[in-house]
Amino acid sequence: MEKIPVYFMPGLAASTSIFERIELPKDQFEVFLLEWILPNPKESIADYCIRLSKNIKHKNPVLIGVSFGGVIVQEMSKVIPVQKTIIISSVKSNKEFPRRLKIAKSTKVYKLLPTGLVQNVETLSKFAYGDTVKQRLKLYDRYLCVRDKCYLDWAIETIILWDRIEPDPTIIHIHGDADNVFPIKYIKDSIVVKGGTHIMILNKFKWLNENLPKIILNNS
């Protein structure tokens, strides 16, 4: 049986090490990890995804994206033919944004975020996670690897200004009911993981390892 190519895209500024606990059966799937590339000045998300898609070497892959990576794989699926697009801890349109992101868009307050101070670990970790400070610092130091100010400014502005209004009905959405970045009350039509937080790719890996193969193979 020919193996199914599965490409994973991490969240904002995150390294591919966030997928270190994810294991798909090797006789059925071939796993590839996509890494962030630095954006060009003022680059649109469409142009960015065209460049990023050149790192996909298989026809009709399965794309899986976490958080902002979920937005990226949705945009990539408009560029290349895919077998399936799965998002985890993410959103399918800007209608699923929490109120604070909508306010950030209207007030442009996101432009004031001190991304240039990203070497001060606490700064971006406050923005990215809602767990205890100690956990944030530990997770940030281990899993967030892209500390380039131009990338961070671009990524934050790109997610806040994402203009997709109508979700793609083919997108498979996996979401935790304890996600504090994209609260479940704003999310529609998702596979809900009980107790799953925004970082459930790390702490709900057993659920994902058990269920992702079935989700990928279903009707594929």
XYZ file of all heavy atoms in Angstrom, residues 23-113:
734
model
N 2.779 10.448 16.730
C 3.249 9.255 16.024
C 2.103 8.666 15.206
O 1.075 8.281 15.753
C 3.782 8.216 17.017
C 5.011 8.676 17.797
C 5.492 7.620 18.790
O 4.848 6.541 18.859
O 6.485 7.869 19.492
N 2.305 8.605 13.893
C 1.342 7.960 13.007
C 1.933 6.632 12.545
O 3.155 6.516 12.414
C 1.052 8.857 11.794
C 0.492 10.259 12.082
C 0.253 11.016 10.776
C -0.792 10.185 12.885
N 1.081 5.627 12.323
C 1.590 4.315 11.897
C 2.485 4.426 10.657
O 2.059 4.940 9.620
C 0.311 3.521 11.592
C -0.735 4.164 12.443
C -0.385 5.629 12.482
N 3.726 3.952 10.783
C 4.709 4.124 9.713
C 4.392 3.297 8.467
O 4.898 3.579 7.385
C 6.105 3.766 10.233
C 6.664 4.786 11.219
C 8.077 4.429 11.625
C 8.742 5.530 12.443
N 8.069 5.816 13.701
N 3.547 2.277 8.626
C 3.206 1.467 7.454
C 2.120 2.124 6.600
O 1.901 1.726 5.456
C 2.747 0.068 7.884
C 1.519 0.111 8.786
O 1.348 1.121 9.517
O 0.727 -0.851 8.760
N 1.471 3.168 7.157
C 0.389 3.834 6.437
C 0.706 5.273 6.050
O 0.195 5.773 5.054
C -0.887 3.838 7.298
C -1.489 2.469 7.545
C -2.670 2.558 8.487
O -2.523 2.932 9.659
N -3.846 2.241 7.997
N 1.554 5.925 6.858
C 1.773 7.354 6.668
C 3.259 7.687 6.604
O 4.075 7.056 7.266
C 1.142 8.154 7.823
C -0.310 7.846 8.046
C -0.713 6.967 9.039
C -1.291 8.441 7.265
C -2.043 6.674 9.249
C -2.628 8.156 7.465
C -3.013 7.267 8.459
N 3.569 8.701 5.814
C 4.921 9.248 5.785
C 4.814 10.691 6.259
O 4.083 11.494 5.662
C 5.496 9.185 4.372
C 6.994 9.408 4.324
C 7.581 9.099 2.959
O 6.818 8.783 2.032
O 8.808 9.197 2.840
N 5.502 11.021 7.341
C 5.349 12.323 7.998
C 6.466 13.286 7.589
O 7.636 12.913 7.553
C 5.331 12.153 9.534
C 5.386 13.500 10.233
C 4.076 11.388 9.954
N 6.072 14.526 7.307
C 7.014 15.588 6.960
C 6.681 16.821 7.792
O 5.506 17.103 8.045
C 6.930 15.923 5.465
C 7.188 14.751 4.572
C 6.136 13.926 4.168
C 8.476 14.448 4.162
C 6.374 12.830 3.362
C 8.725 13.341 3.351
C 7.665 12.535 2.948
N 7.703 17.528 8.217
C 7.512 18.696 9.077
C 7.891 19.965 8.318
O 9.008 20.098 7.831
C 8.358 18.564 10.347
C 8.130 17.289 11.177
C 9.076 17.253 12.369
C 6.677 17.181 11.641
N 6.934 20.885 8.211
C 7.171 22.157 7.534
C 7.680 23.182 8.545
O 7.177 23.257 9.667
C 5.881 22.666 6.887
C 5.359 21.859 5.701
C 3.939 22.295 5.352
C 6.273 22.016 4.493
N 8.652 23.963 8.147
C 9.202 24.989 9.026
C 8.871 26.375 8.476
O 8.662 26.562 7.270
C 10.713 24.820 9.153
C 11.099 23.502 9.815
C 12.592 23.418 10.102
O 13.327 24.307 9.649
O 12.998 22.456 10.777
N 8.802 27.336 9.367
C 8.536 28.715 8.963
C 9.689 29.246 8.108
O 10.852 28.961 8.384
C 8.363 29.609 10.194
C 7.117 29.307 10.955
C 7.019 28.619 12.136
C 5.788 29.655 10.587
N 5.705 28.523 12.519
C 4.930 29.153 11.590
C 5.229 30.348 9.506
C 3.538 29.313 11.540
C 3.849 30.509 9.454
C 3.026 30.001 10.467
N 9.334 29.989 7.081
C 10.330 30.728 6.309
C 10.106 32.212 6.606
O 8.997 32.621 6.963
C 10.218 30.445 4.798
C 8.806 30.780 4.286
C 10.571 28.992 4.501
C 8.633 30.609 2.777
N 11.143 33.009 6.484
C 10.987 34.430 6.781
C 10.188 35.115 5.671
O 10.441 34.882 4.483
C 12.355 35.094 6.937
C 13.181 34.643 8.143
C 14.496 35.405 8.199
C 12.404 34.807 9.441
N 9.225 35.938 6.030
C 8.411 36.616 5.022
C 9.182 37.745 4.346
O 10.106 38.312 4.931
C 7.243 37.177 5.840
C 7.819 37.381 7.203
C 8.811 36.279 7.406
N 8.800 38.043 3.129
C 9.309 39.230 2.460
C 8.574 40.451 3.002
O 7.467 40.323 3.529
C 9.108 39.125 0.947
C 9.944 38.010 0.336
O 11.085 37.794 0.737
N 9.387 37.300 -0.624
N 9.155 41.631 2.901
C 8.486 42.835 3.415
C 7.100 43.011 2.789
O 6.936 42.888 1.573
C 9.430 43.968 2.980
C 10.772 43.316 2.857
C 10.505 41.927 2.366
N 6.092 43.212 3.642
C 4.706 43.459 3.207
C 4.117 42.292 2.408
O 3.178 42.476 1.633
C 4.623 44.733 2.356
C 5.184 45.988 3.012
C 4.274 46.482 4.119
C 4.754 47.801 4.686
N 3.925 48.292 5.798
N 4.673 41.096 2.579
C 4.208 39.953 1.794
C 2.801 39.539 2.194
O 2.471 39.441 3.377
C 5.168 38.774 1.979
C 4.863 37.593 1.069
C 5.971 36.556 1.079
O 6.709 36.488 2.094
O 6.127 35.832 0.088
N 1.954 39.274 1.210
C 0.595 38.804 1.490
C 0.650 37.349 1.943
O 1.609 36.619 1.623
C -0.288 38.922 0.251
O 0.125 37.978 -0.727
N -0.389 36.913 2.640
C -0.429 35.517 3.085
C -0.498 34.588 1.885
O 0.083 33.496 1.893
C -1.615 35.282 4.049
C -1.505 33.894 4.706
C -2.959 35.462 3.353
C -2.505 33.663 5.812
N -1.145 35.028 0.807
C -1.239 34.203 -0.406
C 0.137 33.990 -1.021
O 0.515 32.857 -1.362
C -2.180 34.859 -1.414
N 0.908 35.060 -1.147
C 2.249 34.946 -1.726
C 3.175 34.133 -0.820
O 4.009 33.360 -1.298
C 2.843 36.335 -1.973
C 2.181 37.045 -3.145
O 1.507 36.373 -3.946
O 2.329 38.283 -3.247
N 3.020 34.318 0.483
C 3.833 33.555 1.436
C 3.565 32.060 1.274
O 4.490 31.242 1.256
C 3.505 34.007 2.860
C 4.349 33.339 3.928
C 5.577 33.870 4.313
C 3.910 32.183 4.571
C 6.355 33.260 5.291
C 4.672 31.567 5.544
C 5.896 32.106 5.909
O 6.669 31.492 6.878
N 2.285 31.711 1.136
C 1.916 30.291 1.040
C 2.330 29.687 -0.293
O 2.609 28.484 -0.374
C 0.416 30.126 1.276
S -0.040 30.413 3.005
N 2.394 30.490 -1.328
C 2.922 30.008 -2.609
C 4.390 29.619 -2.434
O 4.829 28.554 -2.884
C 2.765 31.083 -3.705
C 1.285 31.221 -4.098
C 3.607 30.729 -4.929
C 0.998 32.392 -5.018
N 5.159 30.460 -1.768
C 6.570 30.150 -1.527
C 6.726 28.926 -0.633
O 7.541 28.040 -0.886
C 7.276 31.352 -0.896
C 7.514 32.502 -1.851
C 8.635 33.417 -1.365
N 8.375 34.016 -0.073
C 9.206 33.965 0.968
N 10.348 33.304 0.886
N 8.906 34.573 2.108
N 5.929 28.889 0.436
C 6.032 27.789 1.392
C 5.635 26.455 0.748
O 6.215 25.407 1.061
C 5.154 28.077 2.612
C 5.280 27.130 3.800
C 6.698 27.157 4.369
C 4.287 27.509 4.886
N 4.660 26.488 -0.143
C 4.160 25.258 -0.766
C 5.222 24.583 -1.627
O 5.104 23.395 -1.949
C 2.909 25.547 -1.600
O 3.224 26.352 -2.713
N 6.273 25.316 -1.989
C 7.351 24.719 -2.781
C 8.134 23.685 -1.970
O 8.899 22.891 -2.533
C 8.281 25.812 -3.306
C 7.595 26.695 -4.360
C 8.478 27.838 -4.805
C 7.741 28.708 -5.828
N 8.518 29.903 -6.224
N 7.926 23.687 -0.654
C 8.585 22.693 0.200
C 7.791 21.393 0.287
O 8.219 20.449 0.957
C 8.799 23.263 1.602
C 9.815 24.396 1.599
O 10.751 24.396 0.805
N 9.627 25.369 2.472
N 6.641 21.346 -0.372
C 5.830 20.123 -0.397
C 6.169 19.362 -1.669
O 5.982 19.874 -2.772
C 4.332 20.466 -0.319
C 4.028 21.058 1.059
C 3.481 19.225 -0.579
C 2.600 21.439 1.283
N 6.657 18.165 -1.509
C 7.203 17.400 -2.635
C 6.290 16.267 -3.104
O 6.680 15.474 -3.956
C 8.574 16.812 -2.249
C 9.574 17.840 -1.732
C 9.844 18.955 -2.734
C 10.882 19.937 -2.205
N 11.074 21.089 -3.114
N 5.096 16.179 -2.545
C 4.191 15.088 -2.902
C 2.881 15.621 -3.470
O 2.440 16.716 -3.106
C 3.889 14.215 -1.678
C 5.091 13.560 -1.095
N 5.987 14.238 -0.284
C 5.566 12.292 -1.217
C 6.953 13.410 0.083
N 6.722 12.234 -0.476
N 2.273 14.831 -4.339
C 0.966 15.196 -4.872
C -0.124 14.809 -3.878
O -0.042 13.779 -3.222
C 0.722 14.487 -6.209
C 1.642 14.959 -7.330
C 1.309 14.247 -8.630
C 2.200 14.749 -9.759
N 1.905 14.033 -11.033
N -1.125 15.653 -3.778
C -2.280 15.389 -2.904
C -1.903 14.966 -1.487
O -2.329 13.915 -1.005
C -3.187 14.323 -3.524
C -3.815 14.799 -4.813
O -4.304 15.922 -4.884
N -3.797 13.956 -5.827
N -1.121 15.772 -0.791
C -0.768 15.428 0.585
C -1.922 15.737 1.539
O -2.899 16.397 1.173
C 0.413 16.346 0.868
C 0.078 17.582 0.074
C -0.551 17.072 -1.195
N -1.769 15.276 2.760
C -2.623 15.720 3.860
C -1.868 16.834 4.566
O -0.692 16.673 4.900
C -2.922 14.563 4.843
C -3.646 15.086 6.082
C -3.740 13.475 4.157
N -2.527 17.968 4.768
C -1.919 19.083 5.488
C -2.549 19.187 6.873
O -3.772 19.174 7.006
C -2.128 20.405 4.740
C -1.586 20.517 3.310
C -1.846 21.914 2.768
C -0.103 20.185 3.260
N -1.707 19.296 7.902
C -2.192 19.466 9.276
C -1.485 20.675 9.876
O -0.256 20.724 9.922
C -1.923 18.214 10.137
C -2.619 16.981 9.528
C -2.399 18.441 11.567
C -2.396 15.694 10.305
N -2.268 21.659 10.322
C -1.686 22.864 10.885
C -2.222 23.171 12.262
O -3.397 22.937 12.559
N -1.347 23.683 13.120
C -1.706 24.026 14.497
C -1.772 25.545 14.646
O -0.848 26.254 14.232
C -0.674 23.445 15.489
C -0.951 23.918 16.909
C -0.678 21.923 15.416
N -2.849 26.046 15.241
C -3.005 27.475 15.536
C -2.803 28.312 14.264
O -3.487 28.108 13.266
C -2.053 27.874 16.665
O -2.374 29.155 17.169
N -1.851 29.253 14.248
C -1.613 30.049 13.045
C -1.196 29.150 11.882
O -1.478 29.441 10.714
C -0.537 31.106 13.331
C -0.236 32.016 12.164
C -1.241 32.535 11.371
C 1.084 32.357 11.867
C -0.951 33.373 10.293
C 1.387 33.196 10.804
C 0.362 33.699 10.010
N -0.544 28.045 12.194
C -0.207 27.070 11.155
C -1.450 26.487 10.504
O -1.426 26.085 9.338
N -2.561 26.462 11.263
C -3.832 26.009 10.704
C -4.357 26.977 9.660
O -4.942 26.575 8.645
N -4.160 28.267 9.904
C -4.535 29.283 8.917
C -3.668 29.123 7.667
O -4.163 29.168 6.531
C -4.376 30.702 9.517
C -4.541 31.769 8.445
C -5.393 30.914 10.642
N -2.386 28.898 7.875
C -1.451 28.758 6.758
C -1.805 27.551 5.877
O -1.830 27.662 4.642
C 0.000 28.640 7.275
C 0.444 29.969 7.913
C 0.945 28.223 6.161
C 0.548 31.144 6.970
N -2.112 26.395 6.484
C -2.415 25.218 5.651
C -3.724 25.403 4.898
O -3.887 24.862 3.786
C -2.417 23.895 6.462
C -1.032 23.616 7.030
C -3.479 23.879 7.548
N -4.659 26.163 5.474
C -5.899 26.450 4.728
C -5.592 27.283 3.485
O -6.162 27.057 2.414
C -6.895 27.180 5.620
C -7.496 26.293 6.705
C -8.392 27.079 7.648
O -9.526 27.401 7.310
N -7.896 27.394 8.827
N -4.699 28.249 3.638
C -4.319 29.080 2.489
C -3.477 28.267 1.491
O -3.606 28.458 0.280
C -3.536 30.310 2.968
C -4.378 31.293 3.780
C -5.480 31.937 2.955
O -5.221 32.317 1.800
O -6.622 32.049 3.460
N -2.665 27.362 1.983
C -1.867 26.518 1.095
C -2.755 25.584 0.274
O -2.444 25.265 -0.886
C -0.844 25.711 1.899
C 0.295 26.545 2.455
S 1.422 25.590 3.480
C 2.229 24.568 2.279
N -3.861 25.156 0.867
C -4.758 24.239 0.155
C -5.467 24.926 -1.008
O -6.091 24.270 -1.840
C -5.779 23.633 1.126
O -6.691 24.618 1.577
N -5.374 26.260 -1.070
C -5.897 26.990 -2.220
C -4.848 27.068 -3.327
O -5.166 27.409 -4.465
C -6.323 28.406 -1.803
C -7.453 28.426 -0.778
C -8.104 29.788 -0.643
C -7.188 30.874 -0.187
N -7.874 32.138 0.147
N -3.606 26.756 -2.981
C -2.497 26.865 -3.923
C -2.191 25.527 -4.587
O -1.888 25.463 -5.779
C -1.227 27.387 -3.197
C -0.021 27.401 -4.112
C -1.475 28.758 -2.608
N -2.259 24.449 -3.809
C -1.938 23.119 -4.330
C -3.102 22.166 -4.046
O -3.844 22.356 -3.075
C -0.649 22.561 -3.689
C -0.819 22.454 -2.160
C 0.558 23.412 -4.038
C 0.298 21.697 -1.475
N -3.268 21.137 -4.875
C -4.297 20.134 -4.587
C -3.899 19.299 -3.374
O -2.745 18.865 -3.273
C -4.349 19.290 -5.863
C -3.080 19.555 -6.585
C -2.573 20.888 -6.144
N -4.830 19.104 -2.463
C -4.547 18.330 -1.259
C -5.605 17.251 -1.071
O -6.736 17.386 -1.531
C -4.485 19.228 0.000
C -3.381 20.263 -0.122
C -5.822 19.893 0.282
N -5.200 16.199 -0.389
C -6.137 15.119 -0.078
C -7.072 15.527 1.060
O -8.254 15.238 1.052
C -5.344 13.873 0.304
C -6.168 12.635 0.532
C -5.307 11.434 0.858
O -5.698 10.581 1.642
N -4.121 11.351 0.268
N -6.497 16.240 2.019
C -7.272 16.637 3.196
C -6.530 17.743 3.923
O -5.296 17.768 3.935
C -7.431 15.414 4.115
C -8.668 15.393 4.977
C -8.908 13.988 5.530
C -9.878 13.220 4.666
N -10.261 11.912 5.253
N -7.290 18.667 4.518
C -6.695 19.715 5.350
C -7.297 19.624 6.743
O -8.522 19.676 6.906
C -6.946 21.112 4.758
O -6.427 21.165 3.428
C -6.262 22.186 5.598
N -6.430 19.488 7.732
C -6.861 19.338 9.128
C -6.231 20.460 9.941
O -5.031 20.718 9.833
C -6.425 17.967 9.695
C -7.054 16.830 8.870
C -6.817 17.838 11.174
C -6.481 15.454 9.197
N -7.050 21.140 10.732
C -6.508 22.181 11.608
C -6.749 21.801 13.062
O -7.761 21.190 13.401
C -7.089 23.575 11.285
C -8.602 23.632 11.549
C -6.794 23.952 9.831
C -9.209 25.030 11.398
N -5.793 22.162 13.910
C -5.851 21.848 15.345
C -5.651 23.139 16.125
O -4.718 23.903 15.853
C -4.755 20.835 15.724
C -4.930 19.517 14.943
C -4.755 20.560 17.230
C -3.765 18.543 15.083
N -6.543 23.422 17.077
C -6.420 24.624 17.923
C -6.322 25.880 17.064
O -5.492 26.751 17.313
C -5.200 24.515 18.845
O -5.199 23.304 19.557
N -7.181 25.970 16.062
C -7.096 27.062 15.106
C -8.491 27.608 14.806
O -9.427 27.386 15.574
C -6.402 26.557 13.825
O -6.117 27.610 12.943
N -8.629 28.318 13.697
C -9.919 28.892 13.296
C -10.118 28.685 11.800
O -9.156 28.626 11.038
C -10.008 30.407 13.623
C -10.119 30.643 15.116
C -8.812 31.164 13.046
N -11.383 28.595 11.382
C -11.702 28.378 9.971
C -12.044 29.680 9.246
O -12.104 29.716 8.026
C -12.873 27.400 9.840
C -12.586 26.017 10.404
C -13.745 25.065 10.211
C -14.957 25.438 11.035
N -14.717 25.411 12.496
N -12.305 30.728 10.001
C -12.577 32.047 9.418
C -12.422 33.093 10.510
O -12.342 32.749 11.703
C -13.993 32.113 8.836
O -14.949 32.269 9.873
N -12.417 34.369 10.114
C -12.264 35.401 11.141
C -13.517 35.568 11.998
O -13.496 36.280 12.998
C -11.820 36.735 10.527
C -12.769 37.248 9.463
O -13.965 36.924 9.443
N -12.244 38.074 8.557
N -14.605 34.892 11.614
C -15.811 34.919 12.450
C -15.610 34.111 13.732
O -16.360 34.268 14.696
C -17.009 34.371 11.680
C -17.504 35.293 10.574
C -18.722 34.714 9.879
C -19.234 35.653 8.786
N -20.376 35.046 8.055
N -14.603 33.245 13.739
C -14.326 32.429 14.922
C -13.297 33.087 15.844
O -12.924 32.507 16.863
C -13.853 31.031 14.496
C -14.944 30.241 13.785
C -14.541 28.812 13.460
O -13.336 28.565 13.231
O -15.428 27.942 13.440
N -12.859 34.289 15.486
C -11.936 35.017 16.351
C -12.619 35.411 17.654
O -13.793 35.798 17.649
C -11.447 36.301 15.677
C -10.398 36.108 14.618
C -9.991 37.173 13.839
C -9.813 34.873 14.396
C -9.019 37.022 12.858
C -8.846 34.694 13.424
C -8.442 35.779 12.653
N -11.892 35.391 18.769
C -12.444 35.932 20.012
C -12.533 37.452 19.919
O -11.920 38.088 19.057
C -11.424 35.505 21.067
C -10.147 35.349 20.311
C -10.526 34.864 18.943
N -13.282 38.025 20.837
C -13.529 39.469 20.805
C -12.243 40.284 20.860
O -12.114 41.314 20.195
C -14.451 39.832 21.987
C -15.029 41.225 21.921
C -16.247 41.336 22.822
N -16.626 42.741 22.964
C -16.314 43.502 24.012
N -15.600 42.988 24.995
N -16.688 44.757 24.076
N -11.266 39.821 21.628
C -10.041 40.606 21.790
C -9.266 40.740 20.476
O -8.612 41.765 20.254
C -9.151 40.024 22.891
C -8.567 38.663 22.611
C -7.659 38.210 23.747
N -7.159 36.868 23.527
C -7.796 35.764 23.901
N -8.976 35.847 24.502
N -7.270 34.568 23.668
N -9.349 39.719 19.621
C -8.668 39.829 18.333
C -9.400 40.798 17.415
O -8.778 41.523 16.641
C -8.558 38.459 17.668
C -7.441 37.530 18.138
C -7.312 36.327 17.209
C -6.110 38.250 18.230
N -10.725 40.808 17.505
C -11.507 41.750 16.692
C -11.234 43.185 17.144
O -11.136 44.093 16.325
C -12.995 41.416 16.792
C -13.347 40.070 16.159
C -14.821 39.729 16.352
C -15.147 38.377 15.725
N -16.551 37.977 15.942
N -11.086 43.361 18.450
C -10.754 44.693 18.976
C -9.344 45.086 18.535
O -9.098 46.232 18.148
C -10.868 44.712 20.517
C -12.343 44.571 20.938
C -10.266 45.990 21.091
C -12.539 44.377 22.424
N -8.430 44.132 18.592
C -7.051 44.410 18.166
C -7.020 44.858 16.708
O -6.253 45.750 16.335
C -6.189 43.165 18.351
N -7.888 44.263 15.885
C -7.943 44.646 14.475
C -8.478 46.063 14.311
O -7.906 46.884 13.590
C -8.832 43.666 13.699
C -8.970 44.016 12.221
C -9.857 43.023 11.501
C -10.011 43.388 10.038
N -10.874 42.416 9.315
N -9.559 46.367 15.002
C -10.198 47.679 14.821
C -9.372 48.816 15.419
O -9.362 49.935 14.909
C -11.608 47.676 15.431
O -11.538 47.455 16.828
N -8.634 48.521 16.490
C -7.845 49.580 17.155
C -6.390 49.612 16.688
O -5.666 50.559 17.020
C -7.841 49.361 18.680
O -7.231 48.101 18.972
C -9.259 49.402 19.237
N -5.986 48.546 15.953
C -4.588 48.402 15.518
C -3.611 48.337 16.699
O -2.432 48.680 16.576
C -4.187 49.538 14.567
C -4.908 49.478 13.223
C -4.398 50.536 12.276
C -4.832 50.324 10.844
N -6.220 49.953 10.640
N -4.103 47.896 17.850
C -3.251 47.821 19.037
C -2.130 46.799 18.853
O -1.081 46.890 19.506
C -4.102 47.489 20.293
C -4.614 46.059 20.241
C -3.308 47.736 21.568
N -2.347 45.842 17.947
C -1.319 44.815 17.715
C -0.002 45.429 17.238
O 1.055 44.850 17.405
C -1.817 43.776 16.699
C -2.128 44.355 15.333
C -1.152 44.436 14.345
C -3.406 44.808 15.022
C -1.430 44.964 13.092
C -3.707 45.339 13.769
C -2.713 45.413 12.812
O -3.000 45.935 11.582
N -0.078 46.619 16.634
C 1.131 47.288 16.157
C 2.020 47.747 17.322
O 3.182 48.086 17.127
C 0.768 48.483 15.280
C 0.160 48.091 13.926
C -0.148 49.308 13.094
C -0.706 48.955 11.728
N 0.281 48.303 10.838
N 1.435 47.773 18.521
C 2.183 48.238 19.687
C 2.886 47.107 20.424
O 3.624 47.356 21.373
C 1.238 48.971 20.653
C 0.477 50.171 20.071
C -0.462 50.753 21.115
C 1.444 51.233 19.574
N 2.634 45.864 20.007
C 3.272 44.740 20.694
C 4.786 44.818 20.533
O 5.290 44.988 19.419
C 2.768 43.410 20.116
C 1.356 43.007 20.527
C 0.877 41.850 19.670
C 1.324 42.615 21.998
